[in-house]
């Protein structure tokens, strides 16, 4: 067993701290709400009963992560917060949203709550559209070696070719690895498939805009065939075999 714990931390994590410190801020005109804490599923709960999924934060994977998230969120309970809703209610009844905290200085800028939680080590980052009020340079995911004293939990790679292993992680935030067998380009989505046959392995789903961005960086369908890919996101889809990636920072070619 190595004495050092190797974990994957997105480049977005460091960027989040830098943006929070620089005063890069969300919508100052957001509606004012109050948090009451976490619901039984571990998601932020507003005083009016609405449940939130904070954009840019990964789902909690263990009781330890839920506890750390709860502790980080507790300092904001009962305080006036700005709410920016960024989409429709998801299948679990949560609104994708950002919460913002008024500045301690009168007339100062609002601060993004998710970025503050990342800075505290209370959550893992999930690169996705709307996760930051400021634009971040898109860079590949990186690996960083740290001691076991880190506050961020490690992710164990899930083999995208192992059906049972993939399906067991449905709805969870994972690090998925596999070798690309085929690329399916559609009008609105592109699929990086770990098998040529449907439902035999996992697939990575890319939006049209992200696929266009990747192609401009040389990620062509012919080039990707046979390459080993690492991707980060939440497993979903009808059979729990789809991992939708919304940001280039959540993708890494291994070989």
């Amino acid at each position: 067993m190595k004495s050092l714990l190797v974990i994957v931390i997105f480049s977005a994590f460091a960027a989040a701290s830098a943006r929070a410190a620089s005063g890069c801020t969300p919508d100052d005109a957001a509606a004012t709400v109050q948090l009451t804490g976490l619901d039984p599923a571990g998601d932020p709960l507003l005083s009016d009963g609405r449940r939130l999924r904070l954009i840019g934060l990964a789902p909690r994977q263990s009781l330890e992560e839920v506890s750390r998230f709860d502790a980080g969120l507790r300092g904001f309970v009962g305080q006036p917060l700005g709410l920016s809703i960024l989409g429709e209610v998801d299948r679990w009844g949560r609104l994708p949203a950002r919460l913002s905290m008024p500045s301690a200085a009168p007339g100062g800028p609002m601060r993004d709550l998710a970025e503050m939680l990342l800075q505290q080590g209370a959550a893992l980052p999930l690169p996705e559209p709307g996760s930051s009020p400021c634009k971040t340079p898109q860079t590949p995911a990186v690996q960083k070696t740290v001691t076991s004293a880190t506050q961020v939990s490690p992710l164990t790679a899930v083999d995208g070719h192992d059906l049972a292993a993939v399906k067991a992680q449905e709805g969870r935030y994972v690090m998925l690895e596999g070798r690309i067998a085929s690329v399916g380009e559609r009008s609105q989505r592109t699929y990086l498939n770990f098998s040529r046959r449907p439902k035999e392995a996992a697939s990575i789903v890319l939006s049209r805009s992200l696929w266009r961005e990747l192609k401009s960086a040389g990620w062509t369908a012919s080039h990707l065939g046979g390459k080993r890919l690492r991707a980060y996101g939440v497993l979903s889809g009808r059979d729990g075999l789809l991992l939708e990636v919304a940001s280039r920072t959540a993708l890494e070619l291994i070989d």
Side-chain angles (χ1 to χ4, degrees):
M1 181 71 68
K2 295 182 179 180
S3 60
L4 294 180
L5 175 65
V6 179
I7 69 172
V8 176
I9 301 179
F10 293 121
S11 57
F13 181 78
S17 298
R19 289 194 304 272
S22 67
C24 196
T25 57
D27 182 10
D28 289 345
T32 301
V33 295
Q34 286 189 340
L35 278 171
T36 60
L38 299 181
D39 68 3
D43 292 307
L45 184 67
L46 297 181
S47 58
D48 60 12
R50 286 181 292 180
R51 300 165 55 207
L52 304 180
R53 180 180 75 81
L54 294 183
I55 293 292
L57 300 185
R60 273 59 67 195
Q61 303 292 93
S62 65
L63 291 177
E64 178 188 357
E65 291 188 4
V66 172
S67 177
R68 187 165 58 244
F69 183 68
D70 179 48
L73 204 66
R74 199 173 298 147
F76 304 100
V77 169
Q79 299 189 41
L81 300 170
L83 172 68
S84 300
I85 298 175
L86 303 179
E88 300 296 326
V89 175
D90 65 16
R91 60 188 290 190
W92 293 282
R94 306 171 303 178
L95 282 165
R98 283 204 309 264
L99 288 173
S100 49
M101 182 78 179
S103 172
M110 303 283 279
R111 295 169 293 166
D112 187 72
L113 184 61
E115 304 240 356
M116 296 172 72
L117 292 171
L118 287 173
Q119 196 174 30
Q120 295 171 12
L124 282 167
L126 177 65
E128 59 180 325
S131 60
S132 169
C134 304
K135 293 183 179 179
T136 306
Q138 297 294 330
T139 54
V142 298
Q143 285 192 330
K144 190 174 182 179
T145 303
V146 296
T147 67
S148 57
T150 181
Q151 291 183 318
V152 184
S153 298
L155 291 175
T156 301
V158 176
D159 184 355
H161 302 277
D162 187 334
L163 279 178
V166 173
K167 289 184 176 181
Q169 299 297 319
E170 182 179 3
R172 292 173 63 83
Y173 175 68
V174 300
M175 175 173 68
L176 188 70
E177 292 185 6
R179 197 167 296 280
I180 301 172
S182 67
V183 177
E185 295 184 80
R186 305 291 185 266
S187 60
Q188 299 298 321
R189 296 283 187 273
T190 292
Y191 297 84
L192 309 182
N193 305 307
F194 292 160
S195 173
R196 292 184 178 276
R197 296 183 178 181
K199 301 182 181 181
E200 283 195 350
S203 295
I204 309 299
V205 187
L206 311 175
S207 67
R208 181 171 61 178
S209 59
L210 179 55
W211 179 235
R212 187 185 302 119
E213 179 185 347
L214 292 172
K215 287 176 69 176
S216 68
W219 288 43
T220 63
S222 58
H223 168 73
L224 290 175
K227 297 289 185 180
R228 189 164 182 80
L229 180 71
R230 180 179 294 148
Y232 304 84
V234 178
L235 279 165
S236 59
R238 182 177 301 176
D239 301 298
L241 298 177
L242 299 180
L243 189 146
E244 186 160 356
V245 170
S247 169
R248 187 175 170 186
T249 60
L251 292 170
E252 180 185 3
L253 282 178
I254 304 173
D255 57 35

